Amino acid sequence: MRIKSQADFFSGVMFTTVGGAFAIGATTYTIGDGARMGPGYFPLMLGILLAVLGAIIMFQAMVVETTDGDPIGKWAWKPLAFVLGANLAFGVLLGGLPSIGLPAMGMIIAIYALTIISSMAGEHFRLRDVLILATILAAGSYVAFIWALKLQIQVWPTFIAG
């Protein structure tokens, strides 16, 4: 068989690999069964489902003809860097970095940083729209995690909350 859609085939490979890795990793936990699920049950089932989905996508990529072979494009380095950087900034701001003396800045500032940095990955950046989105995400996260779930997450920096 010949690959008729490169993009679909390699995305199927990625799904199958990640799903298989999660399924294998889940076996280190207690699995249980459908009636008494252990901590490894959900990641195992999700990993298997993802691997099967990847296999279906790979099969379709070899069967369904595309006009130009649907080649894989160039790596999108700018969006990749901004999205990874945004997640790194979120983690550092949420928990701080004691090794260099950076205190935890809290959930609200971390969400604003995450939203602003990750929004720079796109083609169009409008600060007003990004700040509106960040405000909605911060308020929603506060309601969900602090108010509803009562999680013990630092909301504001210690010099503000303290």
Side-chain angles (χ1 to χ4, degrees):
M1 289 186 104
R2 187 175 72 77
I3 297 173
K4 297 176 179 166
S5 172
Q6 285 185 0
D8 286 349
F9 180 79
F10 288 110
S11 66
V13 168
M14 181 191 65
F15 286 156
T16 303
T17 303
V18 170
F22 269 89
I24 290 168
T27 60
T28 61
Y29 299 109
T30 305
I31 305 296
D33 56 28
R36 297 184 145 269
M37 295 178 203
Y41 188 85
F42 183 72
L44 176 67
M45 292 301 133
L46 198 60
I48 290 171
L49 183 66
L50 189 60
V52 169
L53 178 66
I56 291 169
I57 291 171
M58 282 191 298
F59 177 75
Q60 273 189 324
M62 297 178 83
V63 174
V64 177
E65 190 72 42
T66 57
T67 55
D68 61 349
D70 202 13
I72 296 176
K74 296 187 304 182
W75 280 79
W77 292 109
K78 177 188 166 197
L80 181 65
F82 276 115
V83 170
L84 290 176
N87 284 288
L88 180 66
F90 178 80
V92 168
L93 290 172
L94 186 63
L97 208 57
S99 61
I100 63 168
L102 180 68
M105 292 292 159
M107 182 180 70
I108 303 299
I109 291 177
I111 288 174
Y112 271 86
L114 172 78
T115 308
I116 292 168
I117 296 169
S118 62
S119 294
M120 291 180 194
E123 298 288 323
H124 308 287
F125 179 84
R126 292 188 56 198
L127 185 60
R128 181 183 63 91
D129 295 344
V130 172
L131 291 176
I132 290 170
L133 174 63
T135 303
I136 292 169
L137 289 173
S141 295
Y142 182 84
V143 168
F145 298 117
I146 307 300
W147 184 72
L149 294 174
K150 307 222 183 308
L151 295 180
Q152 298 297 315
I153 300 172
Q154 184 175 337
V155 178
W156 296 103
T158 51
F159 58 84
I160 293 177

